[in-house]
Amino acid sequence: ETGVTQTPRHLVMGMTNKKSLKCEQHLGHNAMYWYKQSAKKPLELMFVYNFKEQTENNSVPSRFSPECPNSSHLFLHLHTLQPEDSALYLCASSQELWDRGNQPQHFGDGTRLSIL
Amino acid sequence: KQEVTQIPAALSVPEGENLVLNCSFTDSAIYNLQWFRQDPGKGLTSLLLIQSSQREQTSGRLNASLDKSSGRSTLYIAASQPGDSATYLCAVTPPGGSYIPTFGRGTSLIVHP
């Protein structure tokens, strides 16, 4: 039990579908993160939220839309995705903003997304 | 643009061996370097973090060194065990305002009994 729960664990969707990934943490952390891990590229940080406010967007295409309604929940809304978006999407949280690793991050087990 | 390379990409060793995993980065202007472990189907677990001013960090059987000027870090695993089987990732973070890390692709390690 990592304290960070991601649902669903697996998702298969067509390019025209709309779906959402959910991340929930019960660790009392204030910062949350979305990462993308694909077979063809190294792990990439996508978005960072601190106290529900987005602090980083790592040049992510607009077909990915994050939402952080409170410090415990983070969503990634998906719309009109491309086959190259197939990847493992990892969520993480930390007590305070990661600030280059000085705060340990706790990771969920990810959502494996496949785009048909 | 920072690039991080990890060699070897995969490693299979018998139990008990001492191992060295390598991480190199192209831009020596880093804030810190971090080693992570990732088990299959799981997220990342932080192992060691080395600040740019430090030369090494140790935790149990793990020792990570950093040579910033040459753009290299090594993760030394002593007396490897089957439970060490996992993918090991290194990541560097830049100085300055942005802290977007750059990850390597990882070394997949199998330690067989």
Side-chain angles (χ1 to χ4, degrees):
Chain A
E1 177 60 49
T2 66
V4 179
T5 303
Q6 291 187 242
T7 55
R9 290 298 311 276
H10 301 273
L11 178 62
V12 180
M13 58 186 286
M15 289 191 287
T16 59
N17 293 155
K18 291 183 180 180
K19 296 286 185 182
S20 297
L21 310 185
K22 180 181 177 181
C23 176
E24 185 173 1
Q25 56 94 4
H26 298 289
L27 300 169
H29 290 171
N30 297 313
M32 297 187 76
Y33 315 81
W34 279 118
Y35 288 84
K36 176 184 179 182
Q37 188 173 36
S38 66
K40 295 184 178 181
K41 297 176 71 175
L43 184 67
E44 299 173 281
L45 179 63
M46 300 173 70
F47 300 104
V48 180
Y49 278 82
N50 191 36
F51 289 98
K52 304 186 298 180
E53 299 296 322
Q54 187 180 117
T55 59
E56 289 282 352
N57 176 339
N58 192 16
S59 303
V60 181
S62 59
R63 58 186 183 270
F64 296 91
S65 176
E67 179 189 3
C68 190
N70 53 63
S71 293
S72 298
H73 294 85
L74 185 65
F75 296 89
L76 188 62
H77 303 299
L78 315 172
H79 175 52
T80 319
L81 295 193
Q82 305 299 310
E84 62 265 27
D85 297 324
S86 297
L88 180 68
Y89 289 85
L90 292 166
C91 173
S93 70
S94 60
Q95 181 64 49
E96 303 296 337
L97 198 60
W98 190 46
D99 191 20
R100 306 181 183 88
N102 291 327
Q103 288 281 330
Q105 291 190 20
H106 296 251
F107 281 80
D109 291 338
T111 294
R112 176 70 63 185
L113 176 65
S114 298
I115 306 299
L116 300 179
Chain B
K1 180 185 175 184
Q2 179 74 272
E3 291 184 5
V4 177
T5 303
Q6 291 189 244
I7 295 174
L11 187 61
S12 180
V13 300
E15 182 177 7
E17 281 203 4
N18 299 323
L19 309 172
V20 175
L21 308 183
N22 297 291
C23 172
S24 62
F25 45 96
T26 55
D27 186 349
S28 62
I30 65 169
Y31 187 82
N32 62 29
L33 182 144
Q34 195 161 7
W35 283 93
F36 295 88
R37 169 186 173 136
Q38 185 175 26
D39 293 288
K42 301 291 185 180
L44 276 63
T45 300
S46 179
L47 297 173
L48 291 164
L49 183 147
I50 311 176
Q51 301 291 351
S52 62
S53 58
Q54 298 175 323
R55 295 302 300 266
E56 66 177 346
Q57 283 287 335
T58 298
S59 176
R61 294 182 293 108
L62 304 179
N63 175 276
S65 67
L66 174 64
D67 184 344
K68 197 174 70 166
S69 60
S70 66
R72 289 187 293 185
S73 176
T74 60
L75 179 66
Y76 177 82
I77 303 176
S80 59
Q81 302 171 357
D84 294 329
S85 299
T87 296
Y88 292 81
L89 298 159
C90 72
V92 297
T93 50
S98 174
Y99 49 86
I100 302 291
T102 301
F103 285 82
R105 297 179 64 88
T107 293
S108 176
L109 172 66
I110 297 176
V111 181
H112 47 87

